[in-house]
């Protein structure tokens, strides 16, 4: 990487008030201000958003896909965490 | 963590995922050949979007009215965006963005040969939108289900945005066809020049496309080159007829039994000659891109210097 190459940023867009910011992609920019301006041009050309977050990609830490089983398998065996696990007598409607 | 499996076992698990239509994401294990195939394909796709701005950029200042000018500007801006989505997808595979761009500039990487043909008249803006974007959409819609997640997601965005590109091109052709005899002749001339190069956009015939079978097995490709080309011909010939234009192929004929159009032999010598760099505009296109990067170097350096300076100010 040369000195003039810009760092990579991850872009998150809130599509409308009341919804969360969602990852839409990445881009390169010299600083945060330029990253937001570029994100406006690259990811919201058709009114896709009302708010943008940018985070330098090097600051994102991710789980390792090979740890998927040990991280997420325990939840699969705990069906009692879902309401459908329980028997409710007929006639009970709002529970 | 992955060391606990042999290479053979990793490859088997990988292919099982593909066979079950589970997408591959950037940090997942993948065979080197799959990674290299994707880097080549996605970066060349990105280059095509970026080089594709040049033949149309040629007409922005000469669009016949403000409406057409605004539309053409929006379309060219979209192509820049599509190039950016694709370069970002390449980077998720560990490729260096600037190196992939330099590969274009040294001639190591290819881009779609269609952009090596010149755009000689305003009618070419119609033919490019209708035929070139039409063929691109035919290629890209199946790529929305490509096995590599970031590429598939980029394609979803691209296809959504590109649907207006083809329509605006067809509208230009329709308007010219309904105009004076000279205007209709312009439209027919543009169709004559772009028809065969558009059919060549789908690549060599299946028998001459050595990597196709592997790409199908990896579900990077979902249809063969010849299948996509046939879909394009079937869709496009009636569109030409509807606006009173004729595709320049004396062998074109609808086959009632198969439900498909039969069409003439493609000039593969021309195809390979343009791929190898001998098209009318190859040198000019690459030279324009190379100069753009060179001439922009000081801007990129200045932007970095400015951001460093701002950081220092905050520190004080």
């Amino acid at each position: 990487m040369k000195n003039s190459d810009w760092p990579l940023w991850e872009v998150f867009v809130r599509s409308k008030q009341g919804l969360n910011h969602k990852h839409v992609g990445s881009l390169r920019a010299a600083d945060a201000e330029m990253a937001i301006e570029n994100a406006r041009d690259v990811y919201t050309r058709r009114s896709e958003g009302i708010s943008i977050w940018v985070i330098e990609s090097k600051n994102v830490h991710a789980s390792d896909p090979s740890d998927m089983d040990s991280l997420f398998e325990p939840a699969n065996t705990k069906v009692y965490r879902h309401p459908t696990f329980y028997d409710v007598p007929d006639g009970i409607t709002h529970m | 963590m992955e060391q606990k499996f042999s290479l053979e076992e990793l490859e088997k698990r990988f292919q099982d995922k593909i066979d079950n239509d589970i997408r591959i994401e950037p940090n997942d294990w993948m065979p080197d050949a799959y990674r290299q195939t994707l880097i080549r394909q996605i970066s060349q796709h990105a280059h095509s979007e970026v080089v594709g701005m040049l033949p149309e950029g040629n007409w922005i200042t000469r669009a016949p009215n403000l409406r057409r000018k605004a539309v053409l500007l929006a379309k060219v801006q979209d192509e820049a965006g599509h190039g950016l989505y694709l370069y970002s997808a390449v980077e998720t595979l560990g490729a260096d963005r600037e190196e992939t761009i330099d590969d274009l500039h040294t001639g190591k990487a290819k881009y779609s040969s269609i952009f090596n043909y010149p755009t000689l008249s305003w009618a070419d803006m119609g033919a490019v939108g209708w035929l070139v974007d039409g063929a691109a959409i035919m290629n890209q819609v199946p790529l929305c289900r490509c096995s590599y997640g970031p590429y598939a997601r980029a394609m979803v965005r691209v296809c959504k945005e590109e649907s207006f590109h083809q329509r605006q091109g067809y509208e230009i052709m329709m308007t010219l066809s309904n105009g004076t005899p000279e205007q209709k002749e312009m439209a027919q001339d543009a169709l004559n020049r772009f028809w065969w190069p558009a059919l060549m956009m789908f690549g060599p015939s299946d028998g001459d496309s050595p990597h196709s079978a592997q790409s199908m097995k990896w579900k990077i490709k979902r249809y063969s080159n010849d299948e996509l080309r046939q879909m394009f011909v079937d869709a496009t010939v009636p569109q030409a007829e509807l606006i009173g234009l004729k595709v320049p192929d004396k062998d074109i004929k609808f086959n009632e039994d198969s439900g498909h159009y039969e069409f003439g032999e493609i000039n593969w010598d021309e195809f390979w000659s343009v791929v190898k760099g001998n098209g009318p505009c190859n040198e000019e296109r690459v030279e324009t891109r190379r100069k753009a990067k060179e001439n922009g170097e000081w801007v990129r350096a200045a932007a970095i210097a400015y951001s460093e300076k701002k950081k220092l100010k905050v520190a004080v």
Side-chain angles (χ1 to χ4, degrees), chain B residues 107-140:
Chain B
K108 192 177 150 204
K110 304 284 181 217
Y111 52 90
S112 182
S113 277
I114 191 80
F115 302 119
N116 291 318
Y117 291 87
T119 45
L120 303 175
S121 83
W122 170 253
D124 290 8
M125 295 303 94
V128 167
W130 173 35
L131 302 174
V132 177
D133 287 81
I137 291 167
M138 205 58 96
N139 262 325
Q140 287 166 349

Side-chain angles (χ1 to χ4, degrees), chain B residues 55-297:
Chain B
E56 292 183 304
N58 181 35
W59 282 92
I60 289 175
T61 56
R62 292 176 288 164
N65 58 47
L66 199 54
R67 178 182 183 272
R68 296 280 186 221
K69 184 172 181 167
V71 167
L72 192 56
L73 264 173
K75 180 180 189 298
V76 172
Q77 193 189 7
D78 274 352
E79 310 298 0
H82 298 172
L84 284 172
Y85 307 153
L86 288 160
Y87 285 124
S88 296
V90 175
E91 285 196 278
T92 65
L93 290 157
D96 181 288
R97 180 183 301 217
E98 294 306 318
E99 275 174 27
T100 63
I101 292 171
D102 291 338
D103 284 347
L104 167 71
H105 297 171
T106 57
K108 192 177 150 204
K110 304 284 181 217
Y111 52 90
S112 182
S113 277
I114 191 80
F115 302 119
N116 291 318
Y117 291 87
T119 45
L120 303 175
S121 83
W122 170 253
D124 290 8
M125 295 303 94
V128 167
W130 173 35
L131 302 174
V132 177
D133 287 81
I137 291 167
M138 205 58 96
N139 262 325
Q140 287 166 349
V141 167
L143 286 173
C144 295
R145 295 186 297 128
C146 158
S147 59
Y148 187 59
Y151 192 25
R153 291 192 286 273
M155 282 301 106
V156 170
R157 291 185 63 87
V158 167
C159 287
K160 220 191 270 175
E161 298 181 352
E162 239 165 38
S163 50
F164 103 74
H165 295 184
Q166 191 184 17
R167 281 186 183 206
Q168 65 85 36
Y170 190 62
E171 191 193 69
I172 291 173
M173 294 300 260
M174 184 175 67
T175 306
L176 289 169
S177 295
N178 291 334
T180 63
E182 288 81 4
Q183 286 171 325
K184 186 169 182 180
E185 185 46 45
M186 270 172 71
Q188 182 63 53
D189 172 64
L191 171 58
N192 291 350
R193 282 180 290 109
F194 277 94
W195 174 253
W196 291 105
L199 294 194
M200 293 176 199
M201 282 176 69
F202 296 97
S205 249
D206 297 346
D208 299 316
S209 183
H211 303 299
S212 278
Q214 182 62 69
S215 283
M216 301 271 266
K217 190 166 173 248
W218 280 332
K219 293 190 183 166
I220 296 173
K221 264 175 103 97
R222 298 270 181 169
Y223 297 97
S224 78
N225 295 352
D226 287 332
E227 283 172 328
L228 290 165
R229 188 163 18 242
Q230 184 67 54
M231 284 152 77
F232 177 74
V233 172
D234 289 345
T236 312
V237 173
Q239 293 168 359
E241 283 170 1
L242 195 71
I243 54 175
L245 299 177
K246 236 174 118 14
V247 299
D249 180 355
K250 60 177 171 39
D251 296 322
I252 205 99
K253 198 176 80 190
F254 189 70
N255 184 322
E256 297 280 352
D257 296 332
S258 68
H260 296 294
Y261 282 90
E262 293 167 2
F263 54 97
E265 183 66 20
I266 289 170
N267 182 347
W268 292 113
D269 291 340
E270 177 183 326
F271 172 78
W272 290 114
S273 162
V274 179
V275 168
K276 287 182 181 127
N278 304 316
C281 301
N282 293 57
E283 273 175 46
E284 186 192 325
R285 302 291 189 231
V286 173
E287 181 64 9
T288 305
R289 290 311 313 156
R290 212 175 50 71
K291 273 196 188 140
K293 181 165 180 179
E294 263 174 36
N295 295 341
E297 174 66 22

Side-chain angles (χ1 to χ4, degrees), chain A residues 76-92:
Chain A
N76 296 339
T77 55
K78 295 175 178 60
V79 285
Y80 46 84
R81 284 176 173 166
H82 298 278
T84 47
F85 178 74
Y86 299 92
D87 290 329
V88 177
D90 293 344
I92 299 286

